[in-house]
Each structure stands twice: as C-alpha cells, then as structure tokens.
Amino acid sequence: LLALFVWAASAARADEVTICYNYNCHAKARVTYSEAQLAPLQQQFAAAGDAAAERKAISTAIGRLYAIAGEQTPIWRDKGRNYADNGENGQMDCIDHSTNTDIFLGLLELRGWLRFHEVLAPIRRVRYLVAEHWAASVRDKKTRQLYAVDSWYFDNGRPALVLSVEDWRSGNVPDGV
C-alpha cells in the first residue's frame, strides 16, 4: 500500500516556478508544469546521446516551457526581440528572458535531465557601448565550452537559440534570427 501511495504521489507531482515579464521583471507569476506536460521533454533528453543532441533538446524544451507558461500567464503575447510588443501585458525583454530561461534550465537540471551540460549564471554582452543584452548559459561538462541559451529572439513558445558564447557575444547569430 505504501509503494502504491509513493507511486501515485510521484505520478501526480508537478513543478511550480515563478517567472517574470513586462520588461525588467516588473511582473511575476507562478507557473505549474504537470508530469504529463514534462514527460515529452524527459523523453527528448533521454534520447540525447551526446552534448550536441542535448543542446537541441535544451532549445526545444525552453520553447515548450515558455508555451506552457503562456497558457497560464500573459506571456503568450510576447514577440521576438523588443520591437513588436506594442506595450502588451506579457511582453518580455532580455532581462525577463534570461531570468526565466535560467529558471527553466534549473528545472531541467534539478530533474537530472542534463547529462552533458551544467547550468551557469546568466551572461551579459555589451556592444557599441550602450547595447546591453543578457542570456542564460550552460557549459559542456566534457569540453568546458560555454553556450548562450537565448529565447529573446523569437516569439513565445519557439525554440531558444543555443550557440557558443563567443558567437553570441560577437553577434554572429544564424541567418534569419
């Protein structure tokens, strides 16, 4: 009976996080992720056989976690970058994105799904003396290579950009981003 109770409790387990939005984290909201919502993400990470595959899983998972958060909060309105938000409730700048993405990466790490990367603190770049930008970051455990995980470029729910910190800092993002 005790084993059945423990199984039922773990099957019903949900993770709850606090996210922020409305530029510079001026608003906050709680978001709950059910096991049913997280199960497909777990499968993606379990199937990742190397660090490159895990970075792809990170990209997709971040987009999915944002999409689910958008079902519970006004961030569904967020558009890529800062130019198309039109002052909507739920808009996010790079501070909001780097903070939330870091929280999402922490959730993935806490669940033990990140086998090839470790989560580091958000990182900053400054270009042209005034253009400051933030992103979450991870480090490859084997090569020690740092990667930026940047969801700011895309509309809510889209996969995040994951690229070397060197490319991210220099602004060398893929075409179409």
Side-chain angles (χ1 to χ4, degrees), residues 35-62:
E35 286 302 312
Q37 291 169 320
L38 295 174
L41 302 180
Q42 180 182 19
Q43 292 170 0
Q44 283 182 338
F45 283 100
D50 59 25
E54 187 169 272
R55 286 190 296 278
K56 287 181 183 178
I58 287 170
S59 172
T60 327
I62 296 303

Side-chain angles (χ1 to χ4, degrees), residues 2-72:
L2 178 59
L4 181 62
F5 175 75
V6 170
W7 175 83
S10 67
R13 176 180 159 205
D15 281 310
E16 194 172 87
V17 299
T18 299
I19 64 160
C20 66
Y21 54 94
N22 282 351
Y23 286 23
N24 207 26
C25 289
H26 280 125
K28 295 184 176 171
R30 301 286 292 166
V31 174
T32 302
Y33 295 98
S34 71
E35 286 302 312
Q37 291 169 320
L38 295 174
L41 302 180
Q42 180 182 19
Q43 292 170 0
Q44 283 182 338
F45 283 100
D50 59 25
E54 187 169 272
R55 286 190 296 278
K56 287 181 183 178
I58 287 170
S59 172
T60 327
I62 296 303
R64 186 68 194 125
L65 292 169
Y66 270 111
I68 296 166
E71 295 169 3
Q72 302 173 46

Side-chain angles (χ1 to χ4, degrees), residues 7 11-12 59 68 70 94-96 104 109 124 144 155 176:
W7 175 83
S59 172
I68 296 166
C94 67
I95 301 294
D96 302 318
F104 296 157
E109 187 174 54
R124 175 179 80 117
R144 312 304 286 166
D155 290 358

